[in-house]
Amino acid sequence: MEGEENYLRFNIVLKHMKNIFRVEPSTIIHDMHPNYWSKNYLDKNKVKTLGVYHHHSHIVSCMVENKENDKVIGIAFDGVGYGEDGNLWGGEFLICDKKNFIRGAHLKYIPLPGGDGAVKFPWRIGLSILLGALKKEEIEEAVCRYFHGMESRIIINILRKNFNCPLTSSMGRLFDGIASLLDFNKDVSYEGEAAMYVESLAESFIDSLKDTRNYDYIKRCENRYQWEIGDCLPYIININNMIRDIIKDLDNNIDKGCVAFKFHNTIIDFSNEICIKLREEYSINKVALSGGVFQNSILLEGIEMTLKESGFQVITHRLIPCNDGGLSIGQVVIGNELCKEY
């Protein structure tokens, strides 16, 4: 929707649909992000508006598809979406129904140098991750090994001065940063390219396992990294130890496919542990998986299998897309529930 032609097409199609169904909206449901294209559209339409949150909408879209009406633990892994605290969310564990949600856990925030523009430059995110995880005396060596050129120095200064570095808990951005450490050394040319690179490295390594190529093995082997979970709600997942372990593996010339494989296993493991903690806290045994990162089959199948082994009932997408293509149905359902209050 950033392109003018797409925006014009949107208006043409919307006008056509209103004519076909002979309706005129009394309320417009929209994403809460203050800088989305929809803000200009909303300003031009003098009707009631109602904002809903991005990741809540993801989980509700999964609930709608599965005809689920009870509260669930929702794992929303995607690129970025505006959160209640004004930061960019995307690695979220939500306790929610079709009307409300609370944040049960999330990835620890990392600065996003240059804001949303960093999505096109995974190496910037890689630098941010390194600066957050390594000791001061370790950073110079790591930067020289994985990043080169004057531009990296500029980004380091931006990060250290915290200039235009909004915070994000995004799983998609974490994938981007890991991709840069695994030699994805170019700018992305389409959405999700860097994350797909990490997934393909892991898949190639799994293929090399031959007879052990199954997710039961992936779960039980010791190929995973360390992480820490905070003591209070919302639980914060600190991946600094994982980053340090990844650097150690790369320094020891461990196969990059193996590193990507262990990275996936780590996410699978801490997702399961977080859900167990949230089940104990809220007495909820059903988990919904949604968000664009769940287009990654290793994560989707691995998390689903591990949760089921822990006794959870798991619901996923089959018909409605798990990415933003399925977001609108969640927005409509939440909006409908909220409108009942007025």
Side-chain angles (χ1 to χ4, degrees), residues 64-184:
V64 170
E65 178 174 344
N66 290 276
K67 298 179 173 60
E68 180 56 55
N69 294 314
D70 295 328
K71 279 189 177 182
V72 300
I73 299 170
I75 304 181
F77 287 168
D78 69 354
V80 293
Y82 191 73
E84 284 184 309
D85 59 359
N87 292 319
L88 302 173
W89 292 9
E92 311 304 315
F93 296 77
L94 308 178
I95 307 299
C96 59
D97 54 25
K98 291 179 179 177
K99 183 178 179 181
N100 300 301
F101 76 92
I102 58 175
R103 198 182 196 190
H106 62 90
L107 284 175
K108 182 181 178 181
Y109 285 126
I110 61 170
L112 198 59
D116 289 343
V119 174
K120 298 179 180 179
F121 312 106
W123 62 271
R124 292 188 185 181
I125 304 171
L127 277 172
S128 179
I129 289 171
L130 284 185
L131 262 66
L134 300 183
K135 297 177 182 177
K136 193 170 183 179
E137 60 271 19
E138 299 171 327
I139 291 172
E140 187 70 26
E141 182 180 349
V143 169
C144 288
R145 174 161 183 170
Y146 299 105
F147 306 99
H148 305 283
M150 181 59 67
E151 198 169 2
S152 65
R153 301 294 171 189
I154 294 172
I155 297 301
I156 289 173
N157 286 333
I158 288 174
L159 284 163
R160 285 177 170 162
K161 293 178 181 179
N162 194 29
F163 175 75
N164 190 22
C165 293
L167 298 176
T168 182
S169 59
S170 166
M171 181 62 74
R173 300 293 77 82
L174 176 59
F175 263 85
D176 290 344
I178 297 300
S180 72
L181 298 177
L182 300 179
D183 286 346
F184 185 90

Side-chain angles (χ1 to χ4, degrees), residues 3 33 70 161 175 192 204 238-239 263 269 308-309 318 326 340:
H33 199 300
D70 295 328
K161 293 178 181 179
F175 263 85
S204 296
N238 189 332
I239 45 87
F263 171 62
D269 266 19
K308 286 181 176 178
E309 289 191 355
R318 294 292 183 271
K340 293 176 182 178

Side-chain angles (χ1 to χ4, degrees), residues 216-235:
D216 187 56
Y217 173 79
I218 291 175
K219 177 180 180 296
R220 290 184 175 83
C221 75
E222 294 181 357
N223 286 307
R224 55 185 39 79
Y225 295 114
Q226 302 177 73
W227 72 88
E228 294 179 346
I229 296 176
D231 295 328
C232 59
L233 288 165
Y235 299 116

Side-chain angles (χ1 to χ4, degrees), residues 10-291:
F10 165 80
N11 282 282
I12 291 170
V13 171
L14 180 60
K15 182 179 179 181
H16 182 57
M17 290 180 68
K18 288 195 291 186
N19 287 337
I20 289 174
F21 295 106
R22 298 177 183 177
V23 296
E24 192 63 40
S26 60
T27 304
I28 298 177
I29 312 301
H30 63 91
D31 192 286
M32 288 292 283
H33 199 300
N35 297 324
Y36 275 0
W37 66 273
S38 54
K39 186 177 186 300
N40 291 331
Y41 177 81
L42 295 172
D43 291 341
K44 295 175 183 177
N45 287 267
K46 305 304 179 183
V47 297
K48 185 172 70 176
T49 62
L50 187 60
V52 297
Y53 284 99
H54 189 91
H55 299 98
H56 186 203
S57 300
H58 268 307
I59 300 304
V60 171
S61 73
C62 184
M63 294 173 69
V64 170
E65 178 174 344
N66 290 276
K67 298 179 173 60
E68 180 56 55
N69 294 314
D70 295 328
K71 279 189 177 182
V72 300
I73 299 170
I75 304 181
F77 287 168
D78 69 354
V80 293
Y82 191 73
E84 284 184 309
D85 59 359
N87 292 319
L88 302 173
W89 292 9
E92 311 304 315
F93 296 77
L94 308 178
I95 307 299
C96 59
D97 54 25
K98 291 179 179 177
K99 183 178 179 181
N100 300 301
F101 76 92
I102 58 175
R103 198 182 196 190
H106 62 90
L107 284 175
K108 182 181 178 181
Y109 285 126
I110 61 170
L112 198 59
D116 289 343
V119 174
K120 298 179 180 179
F121 312 106
W123 62 271
R124 292 188 185 181
I125 304 171
L127 277 172
S128 179
I129 289 171
L130 284 185
L131 262 66
L134 300 183
K135 297 177 182 177
K136 193 170 183 179
E137 60 271 19
E138 299 171 327
I139 291 172
E140 187 70 26
E141 182 180 349
V143 169
C144 288
R145 174 161 183 170
Y146 299 105
F147 306 99
H148 305 283
M150 181 59 67
E151 198 169 2
S152 65
R153 301 294 171 189
I154 294 172
I155 297 301
I156 289 173
N157 286 333
I158 288 174
L159 284 163
R160 285 177 170 162
K161 293 178 181 179
N162 194 29
F163 175 75
N164 190 22
C165 293
L167 298 176
T168 182
S169 59
S170 166
M171 181 62 74
R173 300 293 77 82
L174 176 59
F175 263 85
D176 290 344
I178 297 300
S180 72
L181 298 177
L182 300 179
D183 286 346
F184 185 90
N185 52 12
K186 62 175 184 174
D187 301 340
V188 299
S189 55
Y190 58 87
E191 187 175 355
E193 183 180 7
M196 291 170 65
Y197 170 81
V198 178
E199 181 185 8
S200 67
L201 285 176
E203 285 177 338
S204 296
F205 183 78
I206 294 169
D207 285 339
S208 72
L209 296 175
K210 296 179 181 178
D211 293 339
T212 58
R213 187 191 178 190
N214 60 75
Y215 292 104
D216 187 56
Y217 173 79
I218 291 175
K219 177 180 180 296
R220 290 184 175 83
C221 75
E222 294 181 357
N223 286 307
R224 55 185 39 79
Y225 295 114
Q226 302 177 73
W227 72 88
E228 294 179 346
I229 296 176
D231 295 328
C232 59
L233 288 165
Y235 299 116
I236 297 176
I237 306 155
N238 189 332
I239 45 87
N240 284 349
N241 286 335
M242 180 189 76
I243 300 303
R244 286 192 281 267
D245 287 345
I246 286 175
I247 295 301
K248 287 178 185 177
D249 272 359
L250 294 174
D251 287 345
N252 290 325
N253 296 316
I254 299 297
D255 182 85
K256 290 180 175 61
C258 180
V259 174
F261 169 80
K262 293 168 71 173
F263 171 62
H264 280 79
N265 285 345
T266 304
I267 298 170
I268 292 168
D269 266 19
F270 70 58
S271 297
N272 183 57
E273 184 169 330
I274 286 289
C275 286
I276 290 172
K277 291 172 78 71
L278 292 176
R279 176 170 60 187
E280 293 171 353
E281 190 73 31
Y282 295 99
S283 300
I284 298 173
N285 199 52
K286 191 169 292 183
V287 182
L289 310 180
S290 192

